[in-house]
Amino acid sequence: MRRSLVLLAAVVFAFTLSAEVELPKADEKWLTLETDGFRFISNASPRVTQGIARDLLRMRAAVGQLTRFRVYTAEPTRVYLFSSERAFAPYRSAVLDVDNGYFSGFFLRRRGGNFILLRSDAASDDRVVYHELTHQFVANTGGNMPAWFNEGIAEYYSTFRTEGEAAQIGRPVGDHVLWLREQPLIPLRELFAVTRASPIYNEEERTGHFYAQSWALVHYLMSDPGRRASLGRFLTLLGSGKSVDEAFSGAFGMQVSELEEALRAYIRRVSFPYTSFELGELEIAELPEPAAMPHDAVLQQLGQLLLASADKHATSAKRFFDEALAVNPKNALAYTGLGRVYDITGRTADADAAYAKAVQIGSGDAEVYLAAGLSLMARRPDEESYRRAGAFFRLATKADPKSSRAWAALGSTLLGRNRDRPAAIAAFQKSVELEPANDEAASQLARLLAREGRHDDARKLAQARLARTHERSVHSEGTVMLAEVDRFETATEFSASLHEAIAKADAGKYDEALAILDRLLPTIRDPAIEEQTLAFREQVAGMKAKKK
């Protein structure tokens, strides 16, 4: 984000917001621009909109070359550009549930898409764009991170700059340095404990301090290869469920107070290091001219933003969708939005009618068919619902063959309706191929491959998930996937050995059957299965005794 002094932000934010977000006027001019995985919805000028889009694409291309961040995602990213504080503030207040003029942009990761909201006048120096885009890269790459790291790393990359064939990363933020030299440091234990719900994160007079020190700590740790490696270990240990003290000791091998003192000394430096890379020519998509948005499309997109931010905004979002349909009764996406509102508020029959109308109108947007199918599967998990949902999901894959969610949803219906494992495997493979970070689809695929006896393929998938996140906790998705693969493989081997023992006993080869059972018994962990296997062994031993 663009960071000016808190006092200046307080002066700018000098009016009181109403609780209800007003509908945009019919004569308001809004623009849309779609390019390379982004859709911009903007009430800024065409020049400003196109300039911010170009900055975003250049930064993404460069960071993709320079780092291990996953800079692309299969899910769509909508960038909402607001021309001023007055236009931006009601949506910031509603979406963040806080009236804090310090926030000139923010990022939301939601199922079904990513949202970046920006004040275009604050984004003119690029820092706000780069900050929010970094949040998306972190979410794509490493999942949930502590608030201090999430904001610190976003500030670290916010000063990204390209000059000719060189790119610069980690340039100092002058406002942060000045602030920290005049203010006492937040104790690191307090900094590490901050969440998005913490007062220090939301109270305007304290937010600047939190962002400044988060930036300084990340900058200090990133400025040295050894400290950078320790930072990675610290985050991994925190993610595994270790306490701050345990994680810190295991990663840094020092006391927290020692790091605080080192950070104080770092802040007092005359200059700060940054990294410069030589780049090949950056290739970005050719930018089209922004196009004027019809009023009903503006209403639908703003309603979608409110609804995506939180279920509690369903009533406000409905006002936007109703007005969009009053302007254009054939807006399929507005009917889809109404269907979601009715789902949230428990009006099942109205939801079905809204989705049916959206599908009847038809759309090139996969979201229309995805929403209809997911609603059916959530409320009526029966054979007929799976059949109908599967038809919707096939339409979604045709509307957008690159939709990871559509392919994963189709795979789920193939399993639920007729247990067509080969077809389900193919659908989930397509989903994971499009979006390797789709943990739910990857988990389903690993289970299916294991059940089909393809244990090596399942294990490779789980190990790839571990390699992507570097998490080794018992709670991490990759660890759980590996455990399930091992369980299926063990169960398959156990079943095959037990059937072999039965066949040997039926053939009168009791010694061979007993040898197989004796080999199996020490591997059994389930008491019930162990009891049944022991009973079978006694039966075989009895048959052997009778034969003698």
Side-chain angles (χ1 to χ4, degrees):
M1 297 181 187
R2 185 183 183 180
R3 300 295 176 219
S4 33
L5 295 177
V6 174
L7 179 61
L8 177 60
V11 172
V12 172
F13 190 65
F15 56 89
T16 302
L17 302 174
S18 62
E20 190 77 9
V21 180
E22 293 183 3
L23 297 172
K25 301 292 191 296
D27 59 353
E28 284 186 27
K29 293 182 179 180
W30 285 77
L31 305 169
T32 185
L33 187 158
E34 294 190 48
T35 179
D36 200 15
F38 291 96
R39 181 174 187 184
F40 292 82
I41 299 101
S42 171
N43 69 348
S45 70
R47 181 185 61 79
V48 169
T49 301
Q50 198 170 44
I52 291 174
R54 184 178 295 106
D55 289 342
L56 184 150
L57 291 174
R58 289 173 70 242
M59 190 264 195
R60 184 181 65 177
V63 172
Q65 285 189 30
L66 301 175
T67 74
R68 297 175 64 185
F69 279 140
R70 285 181 53 82
V71 298
Y72 287 89
T73 177
E75 295 290 359
T77 297
R78 292 178 177 85
V79 183
Y80 290 79
L81 294 178
F82 297 90
S83 60
S84 65
E85 170 69 7
R86 183 173 295 279
F88 178 56
Y91 293 90
R92 178 183 59 220
S93 178
V95 174
L96 289 185
D97 202 23
V98 62
D99 292 349
N100 188 334
Y102 196 75
F103 294 108
S104 54
F106 53 93
F107 168 77
L108 296 174
R109 184 179 181 87
R110 294 291 186 266
R111 184 171 178 81
N114 303 305
F115 297 81
I116 295 176
L117 281 72
L118 300 170
R119 249 181 57 201
S120 64
D121 57 340
S124 61
D125 66 353
D126 298 335
R127 282 235 302 124
V128 64
V129 179
Y130 298 157
H131 178 106
E132 299 309 329
L133 191 58
T134 302
H135 279 315
Q136 179 171 323
F137 300 158
V138 172
N140 291 347
T141 307
N144 293 327
M145 291 290 175
W148 64 268
F149 176 78
N150 222 335
E151 299 303 344
I153 197 70
E155 285 293 86
Y156 181 83
Y157 281 104
S158 74
T159 59
F160 166 85
R161 180 188 297 176
T162 58
E163 293 182 351
E165 294 300 312
Q168 297 167 355
I169 284 179
R171 295 179 64 89
V173 181
D175 286 349
H176 291 343
V177 175
L178 292 173
W179 176 271
L180 291 169
R181 286 176 176 172
E182 296 176 355
Q183 302 293 330
L185 288 185
I186 302 166
L188 287 185
R189 292 182 190 280
E190 183 180 338
L191 189 79
F192 293 152
V194 171
T195 69
R196 289 195 66 172
S198 300
I200 195 171
Y201 191 89
N202 293 294
E203 293 176 3
E204 187 168 339
E205 65 275 11
R206 301 177 69 193
T207 304
H209 200 164
F210 170 73
Y211 275 83
Q213 188 166 326
S214 296
W215 164 79
L217 179 58
V218 168
H219 199 284
Y220 171 67
L221 296 175
M222 292 285 287
S223 65
D224 174 82
R227 291 195 293 267
R228 191 159 54 242
S230 295
L231 170 63
R233 287 194 296 272
F234 183 46
L235 295 172
T236 298
L237 289 169
L238 287 175
S240 72
K242 298 288 187 184
S243 69
V244 169
D245 286 340
E246 290 175 313
F248 191 89
S249 175
F252 292 100
M254 66 171 69
Q255 299 296 316
V256 174
S257 58
E258 294 179 77
L259 180 58
E260 285 182 353
E261 189 54 43
L263 183 59
R264 286 191 186 91
Y266 190 73
I267 291 166
R268 292 194 294 267
R269 291 176 60 125
V270 175
S271 62
F272 293 83
Y274 61 88
T275 305
S276 181
F277 296 87
E278 291 297 322
L279 293 175
E281 184 175 352
L282 290 178
E283 294 184 5
I284 65 171
E286 185 175 348
L287 285 174
E289 290 292 327
M293 288 184 74
H295 187 51
D296 64 296
V298 174
L299 290 159
Q300 180 272 319
Q301 287 290 338
L302 292 174
Q304 181 177 2
L305 169 63
L306 291 172
L307 192 59
S309 64
D311 287 355
K312 67 180 180 180
H313 296 312
T315 302
S316 293
K318 183 177 183 299
R319 293 170 47 245
F320 282 74
F321 298 138
D322 285 338
E323 185 66 19
L325 290 169
V327 175
N328 177 13
K330 293 187 177 181
N331 188 318
L333 283 168
Y335 274 112
T336 299
L338 276 182
R340 288 175 173 157
V341 169
Y342 293 140
D343 271 334
I344 291 168
T345 54
R347 296 168 58 178
T348 303
D350 289 333
D352 286 343
Y355 289 129
K357 187 67 175 177
V359 171
Q360 177 189 351
I361 292 171
S363 173
D365 195 315
E367 199 62 31
V368 168
Y369 311 107
L370 264 172
L374 291 172
S375 176
L376 271 175
M377 290 182 68
R379 292 186 282 112
R380 303 193 195 98
D382 53 41
E383 291 298 312
E384 175 60 17
S385 294
Y386 271 89
R387 183 192 66 77
R388 291 175 59 201
F392 287 141
F393 296 146
R394 288 191 186 281
L395 289 172
T397 61
K398 290 179 181 178
D400 183 4
K402 294 183 178 180
S403 172
S404 173
R405 290 175 65 226
W407 286 105
L410 178 60
S412 296
T413 62
L414 291 168
L415 282 179
R417 188 173 77 252
N418 54 17
R419 296 290 172 183
D420 187 348
R421 283 185 186 168
I425 286 173
F428 282 119
Q429 281 178 326
K430 185 69 173 177
S431 176
V432 174
E433 175 188 322
L434 288 166
E435 188 183 13
N438 189 332
D439 292 334
E440 187 175 337
S443 294
Q444 285 276 32
L445 179 56
R447 293 187 192 101
L448 285 172
L449 292 171
R451 285 193 176 103
E452 290 290 294
R454 296 170 57 181
H455 301 111
D456 288 343
D457 291 338
R459 186 169 285 104
K460 286 177 183 177
L461 185 64
Q463 289 170 339
R465 176 67 180 89
L466 276 173
R468 188 177 73 84
T469 61
H470 303 289
E471 295 177 6
R472 295 296 187 274
S473 78
V474 295
H475 305 291
S476 72
E477 188 66 29
T479 303
V480 172
M481 287 168 63
L482 276 175
E484 290 189 347
V485 170
D486 289 340
R487 178 168 60 83
F488 282 123
E489 185 169 14
T490 300
T492 301
E493 293 173 352
F494 177 83
S495 178
S497 296
L498 188 59
H499 279 89
E500 183 182 0
I502 293 171
K504 295 291 186 183
D506 287 342
K509 299 178 180 179
Y510 303 118
D511 287 332
E512 294 180 37
L514 289 170
I516 294 171
L517 294 172
D518 288 340
R519 187 174 68 251
L520 283 179
L521 279 165
T523 69
I524 300 173
R525 297 291 179 266
D526 188 309
I529 295 176
E530 182 180 21
E531 183 179 348
Q532 293 169 3
T533 307
L534 281 169
F536 178 53
R537 189 192 186 288
E538 290 177 8
Q539 182 182 359
V540 174
M543 294 167 66
K544 175 184 176 183
K546 285 182 181 180
K547 183 178 180 180
K548 290 181 177 178

